[in-house]
Structures are given as C-alpha cells and as structure tokens.
Amino acid sequence: MKLIVQKFGGTSVAGLERIREVAGRVARTREKWERVVVVVSAMAGETDKLIEMAQALSPDPAGREVDLLLASGERIASSLLAIALDAMGVPSVSLTGGQAGILTEGTHTRARVRTIQPARILREMEAGRVVVAAGFQGVDRFDEEQTLGRGGSDLTAVALAAALEADLCEIYTDVDGVYTADPRIVPGARRLERISFDEMMELASLGAKVLQPRSVDLAAKYKLPLVVRSSFGESEGTVIMNEEAGLEAPAVSGVSCDREQSKITAVGVADRPGIAAALFGELAEKSIVVDMIIQNVSENGLTDISITVDRKGAGEAEEIMRKIHADIGASSVTRDDEVAKVSVVGIGMKSQAGVASRVFAALAGAGINIMMISTSEISISVIVNRELAETATRALHEEFIG
Ligand code: ADP
Ligand code: ASP
Ligand code: MG
C-alpha cells in the first residue's frame, strides 16, 4: 500500500488559517494515497519564544525541563492539525514523538534517534486514520522526553519515512525548493529541479537551513525519495536524489552562508610536538566540534592556533582553551563572534581545476578579506567578517551561477 510522509515546517502552520490550509492539503493527499503520515513543527517562532522564556528564568536551565518545554510546541501544532482534519471529515490522530515510537538517546536538546517502533502508527493507519506526529522529539530509555536539535522535525519526517518504508517524503516549507543560495540573501538565486544527496548534505551542513543535515544523511542512507516543496503553492519543488557528477556538471551548484560561527585563537603557543594534540584532545573530550583549524607560521618558536566552532559552543570552547592555555604555553586566548562562513558546493568541482582561485578572485573583487579557508572534495569554505557575509555570498553566486 502506498505511503507518503509529509512534513510541514513552522511557517506552514503559523496560525489557524495556515493550519486549515495544511489540513486541506492533507485531505487532498488522502484522496491519492492510501496511507498518510504527517509531521509538524511548532508554529513559527514558538521554539525561540520557549527558549527565551526558559533563559529569562535561569541562565542554565536543566536539560530535561528544556526538552519537555520545547516538545510542547510541536504537540500544540499536531493536535490543532488533527482537530482541523477531523473537522473536515478526515479521520486523524495526533501522536507525541514517544507515542509515534520514536526512541532517542544522547544529550538533552540534541538527542539522536536510536530506533523507531512503528507499531502504534501502523495500527492507526490500519484503522484508516491519518497520523499527525509531533516533530523534533522522542523518548529515551528512561521515558524522558528529548528533542532532536534545531530543525529536528525534518529528521522526524525522514526517520519515520525510512522506518515505514514510505514511497515518498515531502518537506513543505516557505520556499518552493532548494535554491542555488538562500533566496533571502541572493534575490537572483534559482530553484534547482534536483540536487544530489552529497551536495545537499554539504549545503545543509554548511548552513543552508532548508533541510537539517542529519535528515539528509539518513535519507541518503535509506535511498529515500525526498522532495522539498512550498506549502504556499503548487510548485514542483526540488527532488533530492543519487546523482554522479556528469561531464557537464557545473563546478558549483550552490552557495551557502552560516552566520552562527565563532573564531577562537590561542595566541603565542609554544611550537613543539604534542601541543595541538593536548588542545584538541581536551576539546574532543567535551564533545566540541571544531570546524576549521589554522596554525600560523612560527616566529621565535611561538605560533597562533585559531579554530572555528558553532557560536552556541563558543563559550565552552573558549573556557576550555583558557583553562589549558598555560599548559600549552599560550600567552592569551581571544574570541571573535563577528565571523561567518561562506561556502561554494558542487560535485562538478571534483573534475574541474581553478575553482579555488575563482573563489579568491571573486572575494578580492568585492573587497573582502579571507580569514580562514577549508576545503572538502566538493566544497570550498572561507571565514569572513560577519558584516560582509551577505556581500560575499552574492559575489560567489554571481561568479559561479550568475
Ligand atoms: P521550516 O520552518 O519550514 O523548517 P526553515 O526556516 O527551517 O523552514 O528553512 C527554510 C528557509 O531556509 C528558507 O526560508 C530560506 O531562507 C532558508 N534557506 C537557506 N538556504 C537555502 C537554499 N539554498 N534554498 C532554499 N532555502 C534556503
Ligand atoms: N521547532 C523546532 C525548531 O524550531 C524544530 C523544527 O522546526 O524542525 O528548531
Ligand atoms: Mg527547518
């Protein structure tokens, strides 16, 4: 029996009128598909509001309380959608993550999906109901609520689609597909009809928030047919699929921009063996993901080591570096939150030379200084001053995509 999973993001369920529209769309889907599972995010802005309230009450609220609080946002949206569907004569049931069989593990507020036990969903579908699952959440072995990190409803949708062996997973959002760059930054960005899993993964993890990176990873693993579409119209959207670099593949398929970066520098570090190992060992122990690393040329036996991390982890990373700065012989530690990462992504880059020099020339042409550089097989990223991030994104889009 054909099964579809449809996920609706925050703006798609932002108010009662939007929820009614989504219900109408689900009702139409129901006419074509025998089994329908819907995943919803919290209403637009709700998660941010809940986080702000918790932080207003405490600088360091307990993870379990934050998770219980945040999970409520998605529950409100799922119940309202089920109520709207019932009112339209579409039998439906809303389920919390735990009721939907989403079992998690790991740290509060950034848990991983351990496994899915879909028995309840299967029973509900058997009884002819549309299942509306609250996104972004699950329960751990101790029956504690956990959330899956920002943007986690995408992961809920993909994980359910994989577990239920869905024929299609549609992600409905406020743009009508994946664009060559964030259309809010580059007005001339174009919608891509399709994009490879590899490129989508790279774009997502380098800051294009249209899909959460882990959801793309999981979809690729299960070869899940995945489409990004708009809930505001009938455009075809973007299909994410397995694709090899063709001979004609452009060097760059997309440009992404991540403003949530910080740069931390240990100044005047002793340039001798074992120093980097000590520094990065300590950071790894605290599960801090270090993105870029740069070590300056040594002068008088002293060097500077700079790293970039996600801004949310910057305070902790800085603290660790300050704590061990004496051990590694650093004279001081500095932190710069005013940086951003801008990246070009394309599988065509594998077979084309000169992409890096075009990146540097385009940025130089726009008068932008590059602080750090990193590359992967299909991407080149640079760290720039945050104020210049949008100009840099537009300059690179202009150079490679036009
Ligand atoms: P939702 O609430 O539906 O999950 P998100 O805000 O998480 O929506 O993601 C959609 C947003 O992602 C768009 O509004 C757009 O500004 C942004 N975005 C960033 N990069 C891209 C891109 N390459 N293509 C499309 N949208 C992008
Ligand atoms: N509501 C959560 C967030 O804002 C999860 C999601 O929307 O996917 O991050
Ligand atoms: Mg999202």
Side-chain angles (χ1 to χ4, degrees), residues 7-12 41 154 172-175 177-184 203 207-211 255:
K7 179 256 171 177
F8 295 91
T11 39
S12 305
S41 288
D154 295 337
Y172 283 91
T173 182
D174 57 1
V175 275
V178 178
Y179 276 64
T180 49
D182 187 339
R184 289 175 211 257
L203 278 177
K209 74 174 187 150
V210 62
L211 281 177
V255 184

Side-chain angles (χ1 to χ4, degrees), residues 71 74-75 96-98 102 104 134-139 145-148 156:
E74 268 63 14
R75 292 183 182 187
T96 66
I102 297 169
T104 59
F136 174 58
Q137 59 189 276
V139 289
E145 293 289 331
Q146 291 194 311
T147 60
L148 304 174
T156 303

